[in-house]
Every structure is written in structure tokens, then in C-alpha cells.
């Protein structure tokens, strides 16, 4: 059964997770800016900022307009019904199964002399793509 309102415990958990994530990201990002190679710290800070903004928008949409949110938003914020949870669980399982071969391909490419930065970026994009595709297919079929 879908829920339209967050409980006090859920709000406290969201705030704790958001605050902890923000503190860890800022610490790691600033350390990488100072000691990491190239512009790695800037990339981490920009990517994390984008991710945190997207998460905040999802939480806002779920709390303010529950009738207009997507299956992914309901499942990710744990406000959906059993079907939403099952779709997310199954798609994350597919992503987990695909992660090992994708990582192996990236490691082999690095071993053959490919650019490490490019291989890791392509690995991340491939995993995001596999997760999104798995979620879309499983959501459509169930």
C-alpha cells in the first residue's frame, strides 16, 4: 500500500542520511581537491551536488505531489507499495549481476593500456545505463 505522508522517524532518518552524506562528500571532495590527481575533487563535488539535488527533488515530489511521482521515486524513497519495492529490488539484483563482468572488462581495458579515467567513467555510465534499463524493463513487465 502506498503512503502519502512521511512519519517523524522517516523524516529524521532522511535528514540524518542527507547530513551524513553531505559531510562525507564535502570532506572527501575537499581532500581530493587538495591531494588527488587532476581535477578529481571537482568532479566528485559536482557529481555529488547533482545527486543530492536530485534526491532532494525526489523527496520533495513524493511529499508534496504523491499522485504525480514515478515508480522509481516511490521505490527509492520507500513510500511505494509492494510492487514498487519488488521492481527496485529486482533491478538492483540485475545491476549487481552485471557489475562484476563490467568491472572485469574495465580492468582488462586498463591492463591493455587504456586511460584509467576514461575506463572508470565508462564503467560508471555503463552501470547507470544497466540499472536504468533493468528498472524500465522490469517495471514494464510487472
Amino acid at each position: 500500500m502506498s503512503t502519502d505522508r512521511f512519519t517523524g522517524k522517516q523524516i529524521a532518518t532522511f535528514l540524518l542520511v542527507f547530513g551524513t552524506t553531505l559531510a562525507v562528500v564535502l570532506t572527501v571532495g575537499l581532500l581530493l581537491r587538495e591531494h588527488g590527481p587532476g581535477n578529481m575533487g571537482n568532479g566528485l563535488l559536482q557529481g555529488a551536488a547533482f545527486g543530492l539535488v536530485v534526491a532532494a527533488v525526489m523527496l520533495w515530489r513524493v511529499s508534496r505531489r504523491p499522485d504525480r511521482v514515478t515508480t522509481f521515486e516511490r521505490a527509492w524513497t520507500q513510500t511505494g507499495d509492494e510492487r514498487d519495492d519488488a521492481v527496485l529490488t529486482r533491478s538492483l539484483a540485475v545491476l549487481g549481476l552485471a557489475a562484476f563482468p563490467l568491472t572485469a572488462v574495465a580492468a582488462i581495458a586498463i591492463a591493455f593500456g587504456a586511460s584509467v579515467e576514461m575506463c572508470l567513467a565508462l564503467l560508471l555510465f555503463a552501470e547507470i545505463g544497466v540499472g536504468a534499463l533493468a528498472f524500465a524493463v522490469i517495471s514494464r513487465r510487472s
Side-chain angles (χ1 to χ4, degrees):
M1 174 165 88
S2 271
T3 57
D4 334 18
R5 303 185 140 238
F6 290 120
T7 64
K9 187 177 182 179
Q10 284 177 320
I11 291 171
T13 303
F14 288 143
L15 289 174
L16 178 67
V17 167
F18 188 80
T20 304
T21 303
L22 186 61
V24 168
V25 163
L26 284 175
T27 303
V28 171
L30 292 175
L31 284 171
L32 280 174
R33 273 186 82 175
E34 187 67 29
H35 303 291
N39 61 356
M40 189 179 216
N42 293 339
L44 182 117
L45 289 171
Q46 290 171 359
F50 177 75
L52 289 172
V53 166
V54 168
V57 168
M58 278 194 323
L59 282 173
W60 177 79
R61 282 177 45 91
V62 166
S63 65
R64 297 288 182 219
R65 300 181 184 270
D67 55 321
R68 298 182 70 196
V69 296
T70 64
T71 301
F72 179 76
E73 290 169 322
R74 283 191 307 267
W76 197 257
T77 57
Q78 297 180 354
T79 57
D81 56 10
E82 296 84 12
R83 180 199 171 272
D84 297 332
D85 293 338
V87 169
L88 181 64
T89 301
R90 289 176 61 199
S91 61
L92 289 175
V94 170
L95 176 60
L97 288 172
F100 181 74
L102 288 172
T103 305
V105 167
I108 291 169
I110 291 170
F112 282 132
S115 168
V116 175
E117 296 86 3
M118 185 56 67
C119 285
L120 291 179
L122 290 175
L123 173 63
L124 179 62
F125 295 145
E127 288 175 347
I128 290 170
V130 166
L133 183 65
F135 192 90
V137 168
I138 291 169
S139 179
R140 179 84 173 148
R141 288 185 178 177
S142 61

